Amino acid sequence: LLVSTDDGILQFPHDLVDLPETADTNPTALVTGSKVIAMDFNHYEKAFYYTVDIDDGTQSIKKHELTTDSSLTIYTGGQGIAGIAVDWVTSNIYWTVTSTGTLSVA
């Protein structure tokens, strides 16, 4: 279970509701220090894609691989990115930009 927050992305145990009360249910911080606007998961790649605000007022799209715990930037310089989706068949990444009313792909 991945949860995006104003301070990053947290991972909770996938069986959270089935854990006994004495179990450690604290989330693991996968991404910290960035307000996450949108996020999607690619199960085939074991990776999630997310958008973050940058200090200069723009946004970037990043990919975080769970198997290697590494991130890389896919796109930078955007503004108004409101949604993101991953096509797991083609591995294309789609995002919407509210200011221009467009759909982009990478």
Side-chain angles (χ1 to χ4, degrees):
L1 175 62
L2 299 174
V3 177
S4 64
T5 71
D6 285 348
D7 193 39
I9 297 175
L10 303 174
Q11 181 180 28
F12 287 88
H14 69 282
D15 57 351
L16 183 64
V17 296
D18 296 327
L19 292 175
E21 288 184 30
T22 57
D24 180 14
T25 57
N26 291 325
T28 303
L30 299 176
V31 175
T32 59
S34 299
K35 180 178 181 180
V36 176
I37 308 301
M39 176 177 61
D40 198 10
F41 184 76
N42 185 330
H43 181 71
Y44 179 74
E45 293 180 339
K46 302 289 189 260
F48 60 89
Y49 295 81
Y50 61 100
T51 62
V52 294
D53 289 333
I54 301 174
D55 291 338
D56 65 2
T58 63
Q59 294 172 308
S60 66
I61 297 174
K62 298 187 177 222
K63 174 184 178 181
H64 184 92
E65 296 182 8
L66 293 172
T67 54
T68 61
D69 195 30
S70 62
S71 292
L72 66 104
T73 300
I74 302 292
Y75 171 78
T76 191
Q79 289 182 317
I81 299 172
I84 188 169
V86 178
D87 178 355
W88 58 271
V89 175
T90 63
S91 293
N92 287 334
I93 303 135
Y94 299 88
W95 65 93
T96 58
V97 180
T98 57
S99 59
T100 59
T102 58
L103 175 68
S104 300
V105 64

